[in-house]
Amino acid sequence: VCIVVICGAVVGIALNGQNDNTIKVTPARPDGGDTNGNTNQKLPATSTANPTMEPESSVTASPSASKVITSTQIPTAQPSAKPSHHSMQPSTLPSALPTLSPTLFPTSSPTTPLPTSLPTSSPTFPPTSLADILRRIDMTNAAIDISGESAIGDITSPQRMALEWMILDDDLQLNADSLNFIQRYSLSTLYFATTNNALDSWTKCGPDSILSFCEIDSLRFLSSFDECDWSGITCNADNEITSISLREHGLAGSSIPKELTSIPSLEILRLDRNALSATVPSEIGLLSNLRTLQLNNNNLVGTIPTSLGNLINLELISLGNNDMNGTIPGEIFNSKLRGLDIDDNNFYGTLPSEMFTSSINLVNIDINGNGFERTIPNGFGSLSKLGSLRMNSNNFEGELPPELFASSRLHTLDCSGNNLNGSLPDELYAATTLRKLDLSSNNFTGALSTKIGDLNLLIELKLQSNQFEGAIPGEMGLLSVVTSLDVSFNLLDGNMPEQVCGLRESPSSKLLELVSDCDGTEPRVTCDCCTSCTAGY
């Protein structure tokens, strides 16, 4: 048994036979023993993948380390020879670090200086210094703490690829205890997870200057610059990431890595307008400081995780234009929520009551293009700050509840493409802040009120494809800023009022589209000023 002191540590090397080779690194003690009181404690040897080779050696860090990294986690090459058992003191260091079953052990310090920098591409041979070995072990353990053993053990996983890049190719050459190790590792994992493990490239600011456009090279992901300088990354004064905004960067792949949740300072996560086909990871609920979550315009699948309910600071949830499904969990609503965008998905069921009790500060709601059903809840009356409500292209039925117009800030209402019926409530005509009103493609009946002229801020008025009847009120001519007015495919009849045609004939007219049932052999409406005529029903 040989004891060698290297940089304040005692390296014990036991060569007791062909099948009992171990290495253990422990802090030096004055009495020559280890921290456990033993002078030559051995770790059990692990078996190798190749039965013809010698058993593997296990290498451990100091007693404070929580894991033992076996050679299967750090190797890259197969040993070429068995150790000699006739010499108790090899005189030179091995030329390369074996990656499966080490067969030679150093007994003296290297006679040549260690390299001052690592190569920028994958080296042909593994590192030969003890410092390199321990650095790999520490970084591997740190990555396991974040991602788990299975992810790091899989050499094809984005987590393992990110780890290998940081160990071998990253010019910064961080250690596991570097202050920014976790966030740099998390961002690197995001890159590999959204490029099909580097088989593809981002269209904007990826590492590849040929395949990926970027105005400034320092903005490229995986560049040698600080990760706070990478495209779409914003950090605070403490160099902690607060915003990841990678809109239209060409991200693809089937996962949004959970490693992002290891950045507790994150407030904004924007991965919208890409090609992600992942589910929304439930671990996002761990980002307690998150205020904005924008994942819209991707190919996301699955349901909305209830863990979003843990994000009490969340102000915007934007998941629109994906392929998600399920019901809307009531847990996601909190008092700070201002915007809910879940349009053009496959959600169904009814709107949860928590929308109207827990999130009374909602300003914008977009739930169009889903399968929501039953009547429109009266709870909208509690949303006094509501400005925009888009609930078109669903399966809502029944009448428009008067409570829908309770907000004095309502400027956009789109209820088109549902199964709504009945006459329009008087409360509608009191919503004088409306600028866009679309009630088309429903089953509304009755006459249009002369009070419609009170909505004099309307820019768009869409009433087509209903069952409205009677004359077109002349008060529509009071809509002086309207640009689009469509009353076609109804039971309206008579002449288009002169006041309305006057909007078209005025030199300052803004009315660009005027459509009615003025076509056919017996048109219902006579209109010489319409831009388009339909035959109607």
Side-chain angles (χ1 to χ4, degrees):
V1 176
C2 295
I3 306 297
V4 180
V5 178
I6 301 178
C7 298
V10 175
V11 179
I13 304 176
L15 301 176
N16 296 326
Q18 185 173 3
N19 297 315
D20 192 20
N21 295 336
T22 61
I23 300 178
K24 183 171 183 180
V25 181
T26 59
R29 283 183 26 174
D31 60 1
D34 60 22
T35 56
N36 297 318
N38 301 315
T39 59
N40 193 21
Q41 182 179 356
K42 295 189 295 181
L43 297 176
T46 57
S47 60
T48 67
N50 187 344
T52 64
M53 300 296 297
E54 295 293 328
E56 297 174 345
S57 296
S58 298
V59 182
T60 72
S62 64
S64 62
S66 60
K67 300 179 180 63
V68 174
I69 304 301
T70 65
S71 58
T72 58
Q73 292 171 293
I74 60 173
T76 57
Q78 190 82 307
S80 59
K82 296 182 179 180
S84 170
H85 302 292
H86 301 291
S87 175
M88 295 301 293
Q89 276 191 307
S91 58
T92 59
L93 285 170
S95 59
L97 175 66
T99 62
L100 287 177
S101 300
T103 58
L104 293 175
F105 303 101
T107 59
S108 62
S109 300
T111 57
T112 57
L114 294 176
T116 59
S117 63
L118 290 178
T120 56
S121 59
S122 297
T124 305
F125 301 101
T128 58
S129 74
L130 180 61
D132 287 338
I133 298 173
L134 296 180
R135 175 175 175 267
R136 172 177 280 275
I137 291 173
D138 289 344
M139 293 178 71
T140 300
N141 283 338
I144 288 175
D145 286 340
I146 299 170
S147 304
E149 292 186 9
S150 61
I152 299 302
D154 180 1
I155 62 173
T156 66
S157 72
Q159 292 82 3
R160 177 64 175 272
M161 297 181 76
L163 174 63
E164 293 298 327
W165 174 78
M166 291 190 69
I167 292 175
L168 300 176
D169 296 334
D170 186 5
D171 288 344
L172 293 192
Q173 287 296 284
L174 300 181
N175 296 310
D177 57 357
S178 299
L179 292 178
N180 58 334
F181 170 82
I182 292 178
Q183 64 182 26
R184 194 170 180 89
Y185 167 73
S186 299
L187 288 182
S188 304
T189 299
L190 172 64
Y191 174 76
F192 286 109
T194 56
T195 55
N196 291 315
N197 290 355
L199 294 177
D200 299 323
S201 177
W202 290 357
T203 57
K204 181 179 179 180
C205 288
D208 193 324
S209 60
I210 297 177
L211 301 177
S212 184
F213 169 78
C214 199
E215 293 182 357
I216 305 174
D217 280 343
S218 63
L219 296 177
R220 294 187 181 279
F221 258 59
L222 308 192
S223 74
S224 60
F225 293 85
D226 190 288
E227 65 276 4
C228 290
D229 295 328
W230 292 354
S231 177
I233 306 303
T234 302
C235 295
N236 59 23
D238 296 323
N239 219 41
E240 299 169 331
I241 295 175
T242 58
S243 176
I244 300 175
S245 183
L246 298 174
R247 185 177 188 266
E248 295 182 326
H249 272 57
L251 280 65
S254 58
S255 70
I256 299 173
K258 68 177 185 179
E259 284 72 17
L260 293 181
T261 64
S262 297
I263 308 175
S265 54
L266 192 63
E267 298 177 6
I268 298 173
L269 178 58
R270 291 196 59 181
L271 305 179
D272 52 310
R273 297 187 180 277
N274 286 291
L276 298 170
S277 56
T279 59
V280 179
S282 61
E283 289 85 358
I284 282 184
L286 299 174
L287 294 171
S288 59
N289 290 309
L290 197 66
R291 294 185 290 106
T292 298
L293 177 62
Q294 287 185 258
L295 304 176
N296 54 287
N297 293 84
N298 279 285
N299 301 309
L300 300 180
V301 296
T303 60
I304 299 176
T306 58
S307 62
L308 294 188
N310 298 327
L311 306 179
I312 60 175
N313 295 308
L314 198 58
E315 298 176 3
L316 173 62
I317 300 174
S318 184
L319 302 172
N321 289 279
N322 282 292
D323 198 23
M324 300 180 69
N325 56 44
T327 58
I328 307 304
E331 292 88 342
I332 69 173
F333 295 97
N334 68 73
S335 60
K336 293 186 179 181
L337 193 64
R338 300 291 188 273
L340 177 66
D341 170 19
I342 54 173
D343 68 298
D344 290 317
N345 280 282
N346 300 302
F347 297 119
Y348 54 83
T350 59
L351 300 181
S353 61
E354 290 86 349
M355 176 186 288
F356 315 109
T357 58
S358 300
S359 296
I360 60 175
N361 293 312
L362 276 166
V363 175
N364 298 306
I365 300 175
D366 191 348
I367 57 174
N368 89 79
N370 285 287
F372 295 114
E373 56 188 5
R374 300 188 183 178
T375 59
I376 297 175
N378 296 334
F380 279 103
S382 65
L383 306 183
S384 60
K385 298 179 181 179
L386 188 62
S388 176
L389 175 59
R390 300 179 187 275
M391 53 197 315
N392 49 297
S393 303
N394 280 284
N395 297 314
F396 290 112
E397 57 189 26
E399 300 182 355
L400 283 181
E403 292 82 1
L404 203 58
F405 308 97
S407 172
S408 60
R409 305 179 184 182
L410 188 64
H411 58 78
T412 300
L413 176 63
D414 190 346
C415 296
S416 63
N418 283 286
N419 298 311
L420 301 170
N421 54 45
S423 58
L424 302 182
D426 288 339
E427 288 77 5
L428 164 62
Y429 304 109
T432 55
T433 54
L434 276 172
R435 293 179 177 274
K436 295 182 180 181
L437 177 62
D438 192 343
L439 302 177
S440 63
S441 300
N442 281 287
N443 298 303
F444 292 117
T445 57
L448 296 177
S449 173
T450 57
K451 295 179 181 179
I452 199 167
D454 294 341
L455 304 179
N456 56 12
L457 296 180
L458 276 177
I459 297 174
E460 294 182 9
L461 178 58
K462 306 287 188 180
L463 301 175
Q464 71 268 25
S465 301
N466 280 288
Q467 303 291 324
F468 293 120
E469 57 188 4
I472 299 172
E475 285 76 8
M476 277 189 175
L478 299 175
L479 307 180
S480 58
V481 295
V482 70
T483 61
S484 178
L485 174 58
D486 194 338
V487 293
S488 63
F489 287 94
N490 278 287
L491 302 179
L492 299 169
D493 53 25
N495 295 324
M496 182 65 67
E498 293 181 2
Q499 300 94 318
V500 178
C501 284
L503 296 176
R504 283 279 301 148
E505 297 166 357
S506 170
S508 60
S509 172
K510 297 181 180 180
L511 184 57
L512 303 177
E513 180 185 40
L514 177 59
V515 186
S516 70
D517 294 333
C518 50
D519 197 8
T521 56
E522 296 183 4
R524 289 181 177 275
V525 178
T526 301
C527 182
D528 296 330
C529 61
C530 287
T531 60
S532 180
C533 290
T534 66
Y537 296 121

